[in-house]
Amino acid sequence: MKHALMIYRCLVMYTGMTLIGCVASTLYLLSLGRLRRFNFEVLAPPFFRIMLYLMGIKLTVKNTKNDSRPGLYFFNHNSYLDLIILPALGLMNTRLITSTRTKKYLPLRLCHFGFGSLYLPYKDQKKERLQAFKNIAQRMVEEKFSVICSPEGVHTFRHKISPFNKGVFHLATVTEFPIYPLFIHIPKKSNPLEGFYYQSGNVFVTHMNTIDTDSWCLETLSNNKKNVRNLYIETYEEQTANA
C-alpha cells in the first residue's frame, strides 16, 4: 500500500506538471509571450491546487498581502512540494527565479517556459551567476515585476532553515524593492523531503510582515541577511512547536 501510494503521487505530480506545462507553453508561444501572466495568475493556481488535493495536501493561505508594490517574495524551501505550492498562490505580476539545474526535468522546463521564469546559474558558475543577477535586477526595475526566490537556494531538504545565500539580498538592496516573506509550514509527517512517502495533511502559507529595503546598503548586507534568517528560524521553531 505504501509503495502504491508513492507511485500514485509521483504520477500525479509528473503528469500534472507535464500537462499544465504543455498548455502554458503553447499559450505562451501562440501569444508571443503576452499570456505569461494569464498562465501564472489565472491558469496555474486552480490547477496546482487540484494537484495538491490529489496528492493529499490541503493548502491554506494566511494574511494575504495588500501591498501593491513589486517586490521579492522570499520563502523557506523545505520540500519539493514548494514547486506545486508556489504556483498555486496566484501571486500577481510575479516571476519565479529558479536554478538552471531544473532544465533537465522536462515538466519543470515546460512550466517555467510558460510562466516566464528566470534562470539562475548554480553557485560554481560565479561569473554567469553574477551576470544573471544583474540582468534580473535591471529587468525588475525597468518592467516593475515581482520575483519569488528562496534565500536557501539549491540544497538538500531538511526539517530546518538552511543557510541563506547573499545573492537575493544583493538583489533586494540594489533594486530597493521590498521583501515579502512567505513562510511555508509543512508538518513533518506531511513533508516527503527527498522522497514521495508522507501522510496527508494541511499546509499553511503565511504572508509575514513586509521588510522595506530602501535604507539598505551593500555594507550591511551580511547583517540584513542574518536578521532575515533569524526571522525564519524563529518562525520555524514557533510553527513546529505548535504543530
Side-chain angles (χ1 to χ4, degrees):
M1 182 64 181
K2 176 180 177 179
H3 293 293
L5 186 59
M6 290 172 62
I7 293 172
Y8 162 74
R9 285 172 172 165
C10 181
L11 287 173
V12 169
M13 180 174 179
Y14 280 91
T15 303
M17 294 193 80
T18 301
L19 179 59
I20 186 66
C22 287
V23 174
S25 295
T26 300
L27 291 175
Y28 185 93
L29 284 171
L30 292 176
S31 68
L32 301 178
R34 293 185 181 88
L35 288 178
R36 182 200 71 80
R37 288 190 60 179
F38 172 83
N39 288 339
F40 194 68
E41 298 170 16
V42 180
L43 182 66
F47 195 95
F48 279 92
R49 281 180 177 268
I50 291 172
M51 281 180 59
L52 287 169
Y53 175 79
L54 293 176
M55 294 175 70
I57 298 296
K58 179 183 177 182
L59 178 63
T60 301
V61 180
K62 298 181 178 180
N63 305 331
T64 305
K65 177 184 75 70
N66 294 319
D67 200 324
S68 61
R69 294 176 295 170
L72 294 87
Y73 290 93
F74 281 8
F75 69 97
N76 53 305
H77 197 14
N78 297 108
S79 171
Y80 69 79
L81 289 177
D82 298 341
L83 300 173
I84 310 175
I85 293 170
L86 294 172
L89 300 179
L91 299 175
M92 304 295 289
N93 193 26
T94 301
R95 295 177 185 264
L96 290 160
I97 294 181
T98 187
S99 170
T100 52
R101 291 191 173 186
T102 62
K103 287 185 176 182
K104 62 184 178 181
Y105 303 106
L106 180 60
L108 281 176
R109 188 164 189 163
L110 289 169
C111 287
H112 288 315
F113 178 77
F115 299 155
S117 299
L118 307 170
Y119 284 103
L120 193 63
Y122 197 59
K123 287 180 288 187
D124 57 2
Q125 299 174 283
K126 294 183 179 180
K127 185 177 179 180
E128 294 83 356
R129 185 178 175 89
L130 177 59
Q131 187 59 50
F133 269 120
K134 289 181 179 178
N135 293 340
I136 292 172
Q138 183 177 353
R139 288 191 61 184
M140 288 175 66
V141 172
E142 291 178 352
E143 300 176 34
K144 301 189 184 313
F145 60 77
S146 299
V147 295
I148 308 175
C149 48
S150 170
E152 296 168 287
V154 177
H155 64 287
T156 301
F157 297 130
R158 298 183 177 92
H159 294 300
K160 68 175 187 178
I161 302 299
S162 295
F164 279 10
N165 297 324
K166 67 179 182 180
V168 292
F169 290 90
H170 191 284
L171 188 61
T173 303
V174 297
T175 60
E176 297 186 356
F177 281 14
I179 294 173
Y180 301 124
L182 301 174
F183 188 85
I184 303 176
H185 175 58
I186 305 176
K188 286 185 178 182
K189 66 178 183 178
S190 299
N191 189 344
L193 296 178
E194 303 288 336
F196 276 94
Y197 180 73
Y198 56 89
Q199 295 182 33
S200 299
N202 298 318
V203 169
F204 298 92
V205 176
T206 302
H207 288 261
M208 297 189 287
N209 292 333
T210 299
I211 301 172
D212 287 311
T213 65
D214 48 7
S215 63
W216 282 15
C217 61
L218 295 179
E219 289 72 22
T220 60
L221 190 148
S222 295
N223 190 55
N224 294 332
K225 181 181 74 169
K226 179 181 177 181
N227 290 338
V228 176
R229 184 168 185 267
N230 286 339
L231 170 65
Y232 272 92
I233 291 174
E234 292 170 5
T235 306
Y236 179 84
E237 291 175 348
E238 178 183 333
Q239 294 283 355
T240 52
N242 295 332

